[in-house]
Amino acid sequence: MSSTAKAPKHVHHESRMVQSGRERAVGLTLRLIVVGIAIVFALFPVLFIVLSAFNPAGQLSSGLSIPRVNEFSDLFNNFEALLVTELDIWPFWRWIANSFIVATTSTILTVLISALSAYAFSRFRFRGRRQMLLGILLVQVFPNLLALVALFLMMDQISALSRIIPQIFAFLQGSFLGFLADPGSWQWLNTFGLNSLGGLILIYLGGAMGVNTWLMKGFFDSIPRDIDESAHVDGATDWQIFWLLIFPLVRPVLAVVGVLAFVGTFNEFVLARLILRDTQNWTLMVGLFQFINADFNRDWGKFAAGALVSGIPVVIVYLSLQRQIVGGLTAGAVKG
Amino acid sequence: MAVANAKVGVPAGAPSSHPQNSTLWTVLKYLGLALFNAFTLLLVYAFFRDENLGLAAVFLVIGVGMNTIFFVPSLYPLRWMSPGLALITLLVIYPIIYTVLTSFTNFGDGHRLPKSQAITQIERIGGFIIPEDAPRYSVVPYRNDAGTVALWLSNATETIFVPSGGAIQTITDPPAEPPADYDGYTQVPRRELLPTLREAQSLPFGDEDDVITVSGREAIRATIVPRFDYDEAQDAIIDRTDDTIYRANEKTGYFVGPNGRPLQNQPGYRVGVGLYNFERMISDPGLRGPLIDIFVWTVAFAFLSVLLTFIVGLAMALVMNDPRMPGRTIIRSLLIIPYAIPGVISIVVWRGMLNLNLGVITNVWNDLFGVRPGFLIDPWLAKFSILLVNTWLGYPYMMLICSGALQAIPSDVYEAAAVDGAKPWQRFWGITLPLLLVSVGPLLIASFTFNFNNYLLIEALTGADAPNIPNSPVPARYTDILISYTYNIAFGNRGSDYGYASAITIVIFLVVAVVTLMQYRFTKTWEQVGENV
C-alpha cells in the first residue's frame, strides 16, 4: 500500500470506532434476545418431559402443570411403575439389556472390521485399491435403510433355514449323525433371522465398512510408516504390527468411530422396529415407542420417565464428546 | 532374520510372509476354512432347495470370494477386509439387487410363494373331500385326567374307541351302552357334552389314511382326498368337487378357471411381471395422483428442512460467534440438547404437545384464540408441524457445522472489506455466506438426502393419525414421504405389495443417486480420491 492510502484508512477506522460503542451495546442486547428465544424453543419440550415424568397424575392432559404431591416419594411414581411394578406388561429392563447387547456388539465389531480394512488400505499397495475405495464410497450412497423391504424379506428367508436344513439331513435319521436331522440342533440359526437381535446386528454391520473405513484410513495415514518398517526389520508380522503397534496409536479415531456407532445403533429405530417383532425382543427405542403408541394419554407420565432414564445418558455422552462426534458426523454427514 | 532384512528394500506394505508359520497355526487355519466352506455350502444348498436362488447365489459368491482371497497370495491385503466385504455383499449390495429383482415381480399378498410351493400348499391345506359312502357313527365323548379327549363311536356294523392323537381300537363284543369308564378315560357328563363335541371337531383323530372327522353329534370315518389336485400335463389345478380346471396363468401368477376368475380363497404364486409395477405407477390414475403428490412433498420437505435448519443454525452460529458473548460454552451446550436427545423420544414428545385434545400447545392456542388447530390431523397443518419439529431437531447440527466453518474464514478478509467500507449486511452476503457455502455445501446436500429418507420423523410424529389421501388403492397419507409410503405398502395394515413397494424404492434410489453424485461433483470427491489414496 502506498502512503497516501494510509490516511483514509485511519480516518475510516476511527469513524467505525466512534459508531461501534453504541452499536455494540445494541448488538449484544439483540444477540441476547435471540439467544433467549432460541433457548426457550430448544428447551421447552425438555421442560415438558421433565415435568411429566415427575407428575404422579402422569397424563398427557396434565400438561405443563407443576407436580403436586403429598409426599416427596410420590414424585417417583412413574419411575417406580415403569422400572419396578409393571415389568410384566412392559419389560423395560429387558429392552435396556437388548439395546446394550445390540449396541455393544455392533460397536465392537464395527470398530474391528473397519480398523482392519483401514489398515489394509493405508499400509498396502495393491491392484484395484483405488477402485475399491471408490466402490465403498459408491455403496455408501445407498444406506441399507433404503432397501428395507428387501432386508425384511431376506431376514424372513434366513429364518426359514432352521426348517429347511433338518429336512436336508432327514436321511441321516437314526445314524450317529442323526442330530443333524433334529430341528433342535439348528434353532440357533434363528438368532440371525427375523425377530432376532442377531439379525438386527447383522444388518447394522452391513454399514460398518463404509464411512468408518474412510475416517480411519485418514488417521492411519497420519501415522508414520517408519514405525512399521522398523518393526518389520525386527521380524514382526503384519498382524503383530497392526495389533500391538498401530491399534494403540489410533485409539482416538477408534473412540470416535466407536462412540458414533454406539450412539447410532442405540438410538436406531426404523430397522429395529422392522426386524424385532416380539415385546421381549424390542430395543429400548422400539419399546418406548410401542409403549406410548398403545395409549398416548394414560401412559404419558411413564413414557416421560422412560424417556428421561434412556435419554439422559445419551445426552451426557453427546455433550461431553461434542467435538469428536461433530467431527465424525461431518465426515459421514449422517445422524444415526 | 534374513527374511526380515530382505524386507527393508521392499516398499512398505508389500505382503509380508505369513504370520506364525507353525504347523498348529496352519492346521487351525485350514480347519477354519474347511468349516466355513462346509457351512457356506450347506447354506447355498438349503436356499437352493427352498427355490431361493438369490440368497443361494450370494452365499456362493461370498464363499468363492473368500476362498480366492485365501488362496491367491497377491490378494493378501484383501484378507484384512474380508469380513467387511462379506457383510457389504450380503447386506448392502444384495439388498439393492434384490430390490430391483423384486420390483419386476408380483411378490406380495396372494403371491408369496414360488409356483411349486404354492401348489403344495393348495394341495395340502386347500380342503378335503369326504367320499359319499363313508361310514357314519354316533359319538360319545370321553376325557382322561390329562384332559385328552377320546371318542366312543358306534354304528350298526362296528364299535370303535379312539383317543385324540392315538390309535383306533376296534371293540369286539361291545356292551349295549357305552361304559362309564374305558381305558383310563371317563365318559363326559351330559352338561359338558356339547362343548366337548365342539372341541372334538378341531382335534385330530385317526391317522392320515384313516381319518375320523366329528361333525355335530356324528362322526365320519374315511380316507379323505385333497380337494385340489395339480395336473402337470395341463399345468392346471383341478377341483375334484366339480372337476373344474384352473389353468396356471404365467402372466398374472394365478390359477384361472373357465370363467376367467382365479381360484377362490387360494394363493396365487410369484411370477415376473416385467415392467408392470412401473407402468402402474404412471398409467393408473389412482396410483399416479397420490404418488406425484407424495413425490413433490418429499422434495419440498427435504429442501425446506435443509433451508430452515440452515437459516436457524447459521443465525445461532453468527450470534454465538462473537467472543464477547457471555456464557458461550453453556449456551452452546443448551442449544445442542435437541440434537442429543434420541430422535424417537423427542419426536414423540412433540407429538404429545401437538395432540389435538390434550396437547399443551393446542391447549394454549385454544386459550388464546378459542380454536383447536389439528396440528397433526389437518393435511396442511400437519406438514407445517413436521417442518417445525424438524427445524427443532436439525438446527443444532447446522449451528455446529456453521460455527466451525465461520471460524475457518480468515479474519483479514473481513478487515479488507471493512477498509472498502462494506456494511455488515454486505459483508454477510458478499463474504460470509459464499465462503460458508463452499465448506458446508456438501453437508447441506447430505442433509437433503438424509431428510429425503427421514422415515422416523414422519412415522413417529404423524404416524397413524395422519389423514389419508382418499381413493388411493394402496395406503397413502398426506404427510407421507416416499420411504414411509413404501413402508406402508409393504408392511401396512392394508396388505403387502412387495413388488410395487420395491418399484418405488427404485425411484428413491434414483433420486438419492443423482443428488449424491451432484454432491461428489461439487466436492470434487472423485478427484480427491484419485490424488490422495
Side-chain angles (χ1 to χ4, degrees), chain B residues 323-361:
Chain B
R324 283 157 305 171
M325 184 85 189
R328 275 213 300 177
T329 342
I330 180 120
I331 294 176
R332 227 167 104 109
S333 294
L334 288 178
L335 289 177
I336 293 171
I337 285 181
Y339 188 59
I341 302 172
V344 187
I345 291 176
S346 43
I347 295 169
V348 170
V349 172
W350 274 100
R351 183 164 157 193
M353 296 197 301
L354 293 170
N355 185 289
L356 179 62
N357 296 316
L358 311 164
V360 185
I361 296 179

Side-chain angles (χ1 to χ4, degrees), chain B residues 379-414:
Chain B
W380 283 102
L381 267 181
K383 289 179 179 178
F384 169 80
S385 306
I386 285 173
L387 286 171
L388 172 81
V389 174
N390 210 18
T391 307
W392 184 86
L393 286 166
Y395 84 84
Y397 174 65
M398 294 295 182
M399 179 180 90
L400 289 169
I401 61 172
C402 286
S403 341
L406 282 178
Q407 274 154 23
I409 298 177
S411 56
D412 50 352
V413 184
Y414 288 110

Side-chain angles (χ1 to χ4, degrees), chain A:
Chain A
M1 282 244 165
S2 66
S3 57
T4 44
K6 221 169 190 179
K9 183 187 177 190
H10 198 67
V11 171
H12 193 93
H13 221 83
E14 257 177 6
S15 73
R16 261 184 62 81
M17 295 298 250
V18 173
Q19 261 196 340
S20 58
R22 212 187 64 218
E23 223 173 51
R24 267 184 202 166
V26 173
L28 199 60
T29 321
L30 267 176
R31 274 162 205 255
L32 284 175
I33 292 173
V34 172
V35 165
I37 295 172
I39 289 182
V40 171
F41 178 56
L43 297 187
F44 177 68
V46 180
L47 176 72
F48 177 56
I49 202 83
V50 172
L51 287 176
S52 305
F54 290 103
N55 194 331
Q59 292 186 341
L60 182 54
S61 48
S62 318
L64 273 174
S65 52
I66 306 295
R68 277 193 213 124
V69 288
N70 298 327
E71 282 182 53
F72 181 70
S73 65
D74 286 353
L75 283 176
F76 298 97
N77 279 0
N78 290 320
F79 292 89
E80 196 190 352
L82 188 72
L83 301 175
V84 184
T85 47
E86 290 179 10
L87 286 179
D88 46 339
I89 318 172
W90 303 105
F92 191 75
W93 290 109
R94 181 73 191 253
W95 298 340
I96 292 186
N98 288 343
S99 279
F100 272 98
I101 293 171
V102 171
T104 315
T105 318
S106 14
T107 302
I108 293 175
L109 292 176
T110 298
V111 168
L112 275 177
I113 290 170
S114 41
L116 285 170
S117 316
Y119 178 75
F121 278 124
S122 168
R123 289 310 197 244
F124 303 137
R125 292 292 174 274
F126 50 94
R127 254 195 25 218
R129 174 170 169 278
R130 181 163 173 265
Q131 284 76 5
M132 279 184 75
L133 275 167
L134 287 176
I136 290 178
L137 210 60
L138 201 66
V139 165
Q140 199 64 28
V141 174
F142 307 108
N144 57 10
L145 168 75
L146 297 190
L148 37 77
V149 176
L151 282 176
F152 175 86
L153 295 174
M154 269 174 70
M155 284 295 144
D156 194 32
Q157 291 155 4
I158 290 176
S159 300
L161 281 176
S162 63
R163 179 174 50 78
I164 305 164
I165 294 183
Q167 290 171 10
I168 296 177
F169 289 118
F171 69 95
L172 288 173
Q173 232 150 14
S175 76
F176 76 104
L177 284 173
F179 69 94
L180 289 175
D182 175 13
S185 319
W186 300 100
Q187 282 308 307
W188 61 272
L189 279 171
N190 286 340
T191 36
F192 296 100
L194 203 58
N195 194 15
S196 72
L197 297 181
L200 185 63
I201 293 172
L202 216 55
I203 291 181
Y204 289 158
L205 287 182
M209 204 170 148
V211 149
N212 298 325
T213 302
W214 272 91
L215 203 70
M216 285 190 180
K217 180 191 159 285
F219 202 92
F220 278 57
D221 285 344
S222 69
I223 292 180
R225 288 261 179 83
D226 308 351
I227 298 181
D228 318 21
E229 276 164 27
S230 56
H232 268 305
V233 172
D234 292 341
T237 61
D238 287 331
W239 181 249
Q240 285 167 336
I241 291 171
F242 169 73
W243 197 240
L244 301 173
L245 278 176
I246 309 286
F247 208 70
L249 283 176
V250 293
R251 262 182 308 203
V253 78
L254 298 182
V256 170
V257 169
V259 169
L260 281 180
F262 192 91
V263 176
T265 42
F266 192 86
N267 289 351
E268 205 282 333
F269 171 75
V270 179
L271 290 167
R273 185 163 79 136
L274 183 71
I275 299 299
L276 307 173
R277 306 256 130 186
D278 293 341
T279 317
Q280 289 291 325
N281 286 342
W282 288 341
T283 56
L284 189 54
M285 293 305 145
V286 179
L288 274 177
F289 180 80
Q290 304 282 30
F291 161 78
I292 191 62
N293 229 7
D295 191 328
F296 231 83
N297 185 32
R298 195 194 59 210
D299 293 328
W300 187 256
K302 283 176 254 166
F303 166 77
L308 280 192
V309 171
S310 44
I312 285 177
V314 182
V315 171
I316 291 175
V317 169
Y318 250 96
L319 293 187
S320 43
L321 299 174
Q322 258 182 61
R323 271 208 8 249
Q324 290 84 338
I325 289 182
V326 172
L329 284 175
T330 335
V334 281
K335 188 195 176 186

Side-chain angles (χ1 to χ4, degrees), chain B residues 53 81 103 157 159 224 265 268 275 296 324 357 381 452 496 506:
Chain B
L53 298 184
M81 38 189 115
S103 71
T157 51
T159 299
I224 53 173
N265 300 328
L275 290 171
V296 170
R324 283 157 305 171
N357 296 316
L381 267 181
F452 195 88
S496 301
I506 288 177

